[in-house]
Amino acid sequence: MAETFEHDVVVVGGGGAGLRAAIAVAERNPELSVALLSKVYPMRSHTVTAEGGAAGVIKSNDDLETHCYDTVSGADWLADQDAVEILVNDAPRQLIQLEHWGCPWSRERDGSVAVRSFGGMKNQRTWYAADKSGFHMLHTLFQTTLKYPTITRYDEHYAAKLLIEDGRCGGVAALDLRTGSMRAITANSVILATGGAGYVFAFTTNGAIKTGDGMALAYRAGVPLKDMEFVQYHPTGLPGTGILITEAARGEGGIMLNRHGRRYLQDYDLGQPLEVTDPRHPQNRMMELGPRDRLSQAFHYEREKGNTFKMEEFEDVDAVHLDIRHLGEKRIDERLPFVRELCRDYQGIDPVHEPIPVRPVVHYTMGGIDTDIDGRTALPGLYAAGECACVSVNGANRLGSNSLVEILVFGERAANTATEEAGELKRPNPDALRTQAKDEAKRIQQTLLNGANANGGVRPAHVRNKLRKVMEAGCGIFRDAGTIQTACDALAELSEQAARMTLDDHGGAYNTQLINALEITGMLEVASAMAHSAHARTESRGSHQRTDYPERDDAQFLKHTLAYRQEAAAPRIDWKDVTITRWPPGERTYGR
Amino acid sequence: MAGEKRITLEIFRYNPEDGGEPFFQSYEVEYLNHWVVLDAINWIKDEIDGTIAHRWTCRMGVCGSCGMMVNGEPKLSCHSLLRDYAPGPVRVEPLQHFPVEKDLMIDKSGFMERLAEVKPYIIRDDVNDTGNGEYLQTPAQIAAYHEHSMCINCMLCYAGCPVMSLEPAFLGPAALALGQRYNLDSRDKGQAERVDAMSGDEGLWGCTFVGECSVVCPKHVDPAGAIQKGKIAAAKQWYANFIKPKGAKK
Ligand SMILES: Cc1cc2nc3c(=O)[nH]c(=O)nc-3n(C[C@H](O)[C@H](O)[C@H](O)COP(=O)(O)OP(=O)(O)OC[C@H]3O[C@@H](n4cnc5c(N)ncnc54)[C@H](O)[C@@H]3O)c2cc1C
Ligand code: FES
């Protein structure tokens, strides 16, 4: 049996993008009923961990043009410039709206919002709520959704499959975690806002829920995944846990030091350092405020030169120092209290008195579900927004603090499109959709819940751990044809193993092991799209650095990668032109 | 696993589907110095017993998913270093004062449903009018409510609160603190709309001011302080209404 619930719009995902989308539908058309589905309670979504802030031009010394240029050049010209303009133009309104809904942005003394410096941004434009920006944004959005009676929440529901009939998406099949029963949640429009996929890598700031489910759902339904080879390494994660130390630490003036105490970024074409006592420090688009791809790459070279140090307590991993001591206790407690708390609790050091050991850590997926600037995917009735989508505004390298506005701008935008189009197409036959949900329940029962592989089966966690190591080894900060091919082969082998996954838990209620197993099958799809896209792009651009093709090649590759899933075969890779409006491809310079 | 130290976890087990009684199951774990209780549970689930059910998302103390009773105290399991419990054993149970769904999972739906009662959002006519820029709010005005806005909804305060065990209808510390957070926000004009839900025996006046909520709170939200401020404001309001004739307000 699959119970059916009918709505007009289904939003899959209760993070920033999903909540913003749900509110937008409710605001725009109070006649429509919205289902808001999330595999965790909305306020547990990963947006909650975002620390540094959200970018939007608001001060008189800043302008939209510069924000656009920073984003386009930061993206190594792979972003679509029409999408970037939409992002930048709409960002201030979205952030003010969040403010009106209650977000406690940090303020200047006169009561206006305060902004801080961020990597790759020429001017100060990052709004922040101390260093818990995502937390406050997410709770503000969640609490605001409580105003709207037309939003029905399905908390702790796992979307397992898109329901597709007559060539259009008409809902999702979702497991109710509490009982394990499959439900058909139907609607005329489905918006995916399922977040990123950083958890397919072993060392990441992303928690275990960032498994790229929505990407896998769309991919399986024939929608291409775009630019999947572009995965962001953030330069400053805590070495043992991968917990993020926000870029805001450098925005406030923190400096990067190698084991000799040298501000090594000056050796990587990022400009010359100023003394930390110089009132002009930190300088935007220079040194510590360079873009993340370049800083993470610099770490790699430092390690090769022997300039990093080993951390015995964490299996001898290499690290450098992020030093914020000169900011002083007062400023640290005011601007970076969470950084201090995290360092004390998880690293056992106090950054007021000691430098913070850090290393690059997988942080963000620039790629995702291919959408147009209005959130449409190639499948009618299916829309996507947020980190799961690729519009694309992030291109080959996202700038810090652009993502928290992307989820607002494109969350609302996709919702507007979905709202308009919800009435246009004929609603798919509910019986057909229910049957599909029932079939999905049957499939799961037969493949994972019947204990068939009890002997000779594989523990899901083992497949997952192996997969995450394979990606780290094959598709890390630097890659080449050999490492990528090794990853592709290993992933194919792991997919065979995944077909033999054996569960200990065959029950219905809160079978979280089953959810993990379903996530793993999706992670394999997403990882495969990443590896094969990386293989096809024989150039270096932004976060995709091929040691065998070290140069950017605009003649061939000023194009988005599109990965199409194929049954029992490697994905088919296709290409799509980048939209260039006002900023022709140029040299990407920092520190000069 | 390359651990050096061993510790035993005694995990509360309960499965609603097998009709059995709850029991404690012991697992021995080798652990690394930086492991938290949550790491050990995850390791057990991955390697020994996949049937254990528990919640977690962030492993950095901010998503509020992973609350449990650890050796009898409400804790975030991602924020409780195993080495602090050496030599063990460590007893891990679901948060008290909640119905148990399965193993370490509690039923939070009651809280989620009741949260809306305190209208936790800015109430005023022009909230969707963004044309005139931000509402001004000075750092001092933020300070008036800021600590109460730090709640991660982890439910530890409900497990700590003695009233919750006696009076399940009590709105509870987190929900009241949240309502009060908006009441204290200079941008908000919705105090009057929250009065009914927040006062009364299920609301502010249900609190007996034991203050345990503020003790167990991992984020220094100080729900007890929020409730106390709420009581004072409500009492003032009551006197004001009492002294002035009805309708003379404002
Ligand atoms: C530690 C950290 C710090 C960051 N700091 C910043 C910052 O300072 N500035 C910035 O701009 N960006 C930052 N980012 C990036 C930014 O936070 C994210 O890109 C953004 O929050 C993603 O929002 P989202 O709504 O797309 O996804 P998420 O917040 O990840 O939400 C995804 C939602 O989808 C649901 N979901 C997923 N799969 C399913 C399924 N199968 N069924 C049902 N529901 C499902 C989840 O439950 C969740 O509700 C940071 C990221 C991290 C990890
Ligand atoms: S896992 Fe997020 S608070 Fe513990």
Side-chain angles (χ1 to χ4, degrees):
Chain A
M1 254 318 284
E3 250 184 303
T4 306
F5 299 84
E6 289 188 35
H7 296 276
D8 297 300
V9 179
V10 176
V11 179
V12 186
L19 295 172
R20 185 67 189 85
I23 294 170
V25 179
E27 283 283 344
R28 199 171 176 94
N29 188 347
E31 303 281 300
L32 298 186
S33 98
V34 187
L36 178 60
L37 210 93
S38 175
K39 65 178 175 179
V40 296
Y41 280 104
M43 71 282 247
R44 319 299 185 205
S45 304
H46 225 287
T47 297
V48 81
T49 63
E51 302 170 20
V57 172
I58 189 80
K59 298 293 176 189
S60 56
N61 62 354
D62 194 10
D63 59 90
L64 299 169
E65 177 86 13
T66 313
H67 189 185
C68 285
Y69 180 78
D70 287 343
T71 303
V72 168
S73 57
D76 217 348
W77 272 272
L78 198 70
D80 285 325
Q81 297 179 5
D82 51 351
V84 170
E85 289 190 64
I86 290 169
L87 174 88
V88 166
N89 292 343
D90 198 28
R93 178 183 69 92
Q94 293 287 352
L95 296 174
I96 291 172
Q97 181 63 82
L98 253 277
E99 189 279 326
H100 280 15
W101 285 337
C103 189
W105 298 119
S106 295
R107 307 283 179 146
E108 303 291 353
R109 225 175 273 161
D110 67 0
S112 62
V113 293
V115 289
R116 63 165 41 130
S117 295
F118 239 68
M121 301 276 192
K122 184 75 194 161
N123 298 321
Q124 293 195 331
R125 62 172 71 100
T126 298
W127 301 39
Y128 59 97
D131 52 358
K132 283 209 175 155
S133 308
F135 163 81
H136 285 297
M137 286 176 61
L138 186 70
H139 280 257
T140 301
L141 285 166
F142 173 71
Q143 288 158 13
T144 300
T145 61
L146 299 176
K147 282 203 297 202
Y148 302 97
T150 50
I151 300 175
T152 305
R153 279 207 326 274
Y154 294 83
D155 294 334
E156 301 199 316
H157 277 62
Y158 177 85
K161 191 174 191 296
L162 296 177
L163 302 176
I164 298 163
E165 185 67 16
D166 297 332
R168 66 174 306 235
C169 188
V172 294
L175 275 170
D176 174 6
L177 264 65
R178 195 163 166 272
T179 60
S181 58
M182 188 67 81
R183 296 174 150 187
I185 303 181
T186 68
N188 278 4
S189 306
V190 176
I191 304 172
L192 292 174
T194 48
Y199 200 65
V200 305
F201 284 78
F203 187 64
T204 174
T205 59
N206 289 193
I209 61 168
K210 294 200 82 166
T211 42
D213 303 0
M215 299 178 190
L217 289 174
Y219 189 50
R220 285 182 181 131
V223 175
L225 298 183
K226 184 159 77 193
D227 294 343
M228 291 299 285
E229 64 274 39
F230 297 99
V231 174
Q232 177 163 80
Y233 275 78
H234 193 295
T236 62
L238 292 180
T241 54
I243 288 174
L244 179 78
I245 300 302
T246 171
E247 191 165 282
R250 284 173 280 127
E252 296 294 339
I255 55 174
M256 303 293 297
L257 301 168
N258 69 15
R259 91 185 160 92
H260 308 294
R262 178 173 172 80
R263 286 176 69 185
Y264 60 91
L265 294 174
Q266 62 188 291
D267 303 328
Y268 300 95
D269 196 19
L270 286 160
Q272 288 303 309
L274 290 175
E275 291 294 325
V276 296
T277 47
D278 190 313
R280 289 168 300 159
H281 169 83
Q283 287 176 292
N284 294 322
R285 279 184 75 114
M286 293 184 111
M287 288 295 294
E288 282 83 5
L289 293 180
R292 292 176 181 174
D293 54 338
R294 297 277 301 276
L295 265 64
S296 292
Q297 289 152 21
F299 173 90
H300 174 92
Y301 292 123
E302 284 294 286
R303 181 171 52 196
E304 285 192 337
K305 292 182 196 164
N307 289 342
T308 55
F309 55 86
K310 297 228 176 280
M311 301 212 55
E312 228 176 281
E313 63 271 45
F314 300 118
E315 295 165 343
D316 276 344
V317 297
D318 295 281
V320 289
H321 276 137
L322 166 61
D323 195 350
I324 60 171
R325 287 175 296 181
H326 53 280
L327 303 182
E329 184 165 10
K330 187 165 169 284
R331 193 173 174 87
I332 290 173
D333 281 347
E334 185 190 311
R335 302 289 181 92
L336 304 164
F338 194 36
V339 165
R340 189 175 188 192
E341 184 183 321
L342 290 169
C343 287
R344 279 174 160 173
D345 295 348
Y346 294 101
Q347 197 71 32
I349 62 145
D350 184 349
V352 168
H353 304 297
E354 290 158 273
I356 310 165
V358 291
R359 60 185 284 236
V361 55
V362 166
H363 186 56
Y364 184 86
T365 31
M366 267 76 73
I369 303 162
D370 176 34
T371 73
D372 68 13
I373 53 172
D374 297 314
R376 289 184 202 89
T377 71
L379 178 66
L382 184 70
Y383 309 82
E387 194 174 337
C388 73
C390 181
V391 180
S392 104
V393 293
N394 301 307
N397 173 65
R398 171 182 74 104
L399 292 191
S401 76
N402 266 351
S403 175
L404 285 179
V405 288
E406 178 185 356
I407 63 180
L408 301 175
V409 171
F410 290 96
E412 184 188 19
R413 209 172 161 87
N416 288 347
T417 317
T419 306
E420 295 308 315
E421 295 177 1
E424 285 174 14
L425 289 156
K426 209 175 118 251
R427 196 176 269 253
N429 176 349
D431 292 333
L433 300 179
R434 186 179 315 127
T435 305
Q436 286 182 25
K438 224 161 55 186
D439 291 348
E440 177 64 4
K442 217 183 293 167
R443 185 191 71 79
I444 290 172
Q445 181 67 36
Q446 284 166 358
T447 53
L448 286 164
L449 288 177
N450 64 0
N453 297 312
N455 302 313
V458 190
R459 290 191 77 77
H462 291 178
V463 178
R464 186 196 66 212
N465 295 348
K466 185 82 196 296
L467 154 69
R468 299 178 68 207
K469 283 198 183 126
V470 162
M471 290 306 284
E472 197 83 54
C475 299
I477 301 176
F478 286 91
R479 316 115 179 231
D480 64 29
T483 65
I484 299 169
Q485 189 58 53
T486 307
C488 292
D489 296 345
L491 290 172
E493 151 86 30
L494 280 170
S495 294
E496 280 167 32
Q497 285 189 25
R500 289 186 289 116
M501 280 191 291
T502 306
L503 305 189
D504 302 332
D505 195 341
H506 301 121
Y510 283 112
N511 188 340
T512 49
Q513 193 186 31
L514 171 65
I515 300 299
N516 291 346
L518 293 170
E519 287 169 343
I520 289 162
T521 58
M523 288 166 76
L524 280 161
E525 305 267 14
V526 169
S528 155
M530 285 174 173
H532 286 277
S533 302
H535 196 264
R537 185 177 287 273
T538 48
E539 66 154 354
S540 289
R541 184 187 296 272
S543 66
H544 173 71
Q545 292 293 315
R546 294 268 311 237
T547 50
D548 46 353
Y549 295 92
E551 300 301 324
R552 191 173 95 186
D553 177 0
D554 285 343
Q556 258 204 83
F557 289 109
L558 191 61
K559 287 191 166 63
H560 298 295
T561 322
L562 294 180
Y564 290 85
R565 185 173 184 275
Q566 304 205 97
E567 207 52 57
R572 177 171 68 83
I573 303 295
D574 204 348
W575 306 94
K576 179 171 161 181
D577 284 339
V578 173
T579 308
I580 307 283
T581 57
R582 295 199 280 139
W583 300 275
E587 196 196 347
R588 198 171 166 231
T589 53
Y590 292 95
R592 289 186 250 152
Chain B
M1 204 184 41
E4 305 132 26
K5 297 183 255 179
R6 293 175 164 277
I7 198 162
T8 297
L9 268 74
E10 299 171 352
I11 299 183
F12 178 95
R13 304 302 311 271
Y14 166 71
N15 183 349
E17 287 176 336
D18 67 12
E21 289 292 303
F23 62 101
F24 282 92
Q25 193 162 356
S26 293
Y27 302 90
E28 202 187 27
V29 174
E30 262 185 75
Y31 70 99
L32 297 171
N33 199 42
H34 63 275
W35 273 29
V36 289
V37 170
L38 177 65
D39 292 326
I41 299 171
N42 282 339
W43 184 82
I44 294 165
K45 184 172 175 70
D46 283 354
E47 302 297 334
I48 308 178
D49 186 348
T51 65
I52 295 177
H54 67 296
R55 291 186 177 96
W56 74 285
T57 299
C58 71
R59 204 210 170 274
M60 56 191 277
V62 69
C63 77
S65 308
C66 70
M68 298 170 194
M69 305 299 291
V70 181
N71 279 357
E73 284 177 58
K75 291 279 182 196
L76 294 179
S77 56
C78 74
H79 200 260
S80 307
L81 285 165
L82 266 181
R83 62 172 191 254
D84 293 344
Y85 295 92
V90 191
R91 188 162 261 232
V92 188
E93 300 165 80
L95 284 180
Q96 65 186 14
H97 304 157
F98 289 91
V100 178
E101 297 268 22
K102 183 183 176 187
D103 301 335
L104 301 168
M105 287 196 152
I106 53 162
D107 177 3
K108 304 182 184 187
S109 57
F111 168 76
M112 293 295 289
E113 275 158 28
R114 297 206 64 189
L115 205 52
E117 291 176 26
V118 301
K119 304 198 176 186
Y121 35 80
I122 298 282
I123 299 177
R124 56 191 274 174
D125 295 339
D126 57 355
V127 277
N128 288 345
D129 177 6
T130 52
N132 298 320
E134 72 269 44
Y135 303 142
L136 297 183
Q137 185 165 59
T138 64
Q141 286 172 319
I142 295 183
Y145 69 87
H146 194 252
E147 60 180 352
H148 308 317
S149 75
M150 302 300 276
C151 174
I152 60 173
N153 299 170
C154 66
M155 305 282 99
L156 301 197
C157 56
Y158 286 62
C161 172
V163 179
M164 287 315 301
S165 64
L166 303 169
E167 213 36 80
F170 181 44
L171 211 41
L176 288 169
L178 188 63
Q180 192 58 13
R181 167 247 178 279
Y182 282 96
N183 280 342
L184 294 170
D185 191 319
S186 58
R187 297 168 293 184
D188 179 74
K189 301 191 192 315
Q191 290 91 328
E193 292 190 39
R194 293 189 195 95
V195 168
D196 284 348
M198 287 184 62
S199 48
D201 292 344
E202 289 182 13
L204 296 166
W205 303 103
C207 168
T208 56
F209 210 70
V210 175
E212 193 58 23
C213 52
S214 294
V215 175
V216 301
C217 177
K219 297 289 146 185
H220 316 294
V221 172
D222 191 16
I227 291 172
Q228 198 58 11
K229 285 181 225 165
K231 282 183 179 176
I232 293 167
K236 274 194 197 147
Q237 188 63 44
W238 186 84
Y239 280 115
N241 289 349
F242 189 72
I243 294 162
K244 290 181 197 162
K246 266 215 163 91
K249 247 190 324 165
K250 285 203 185 156

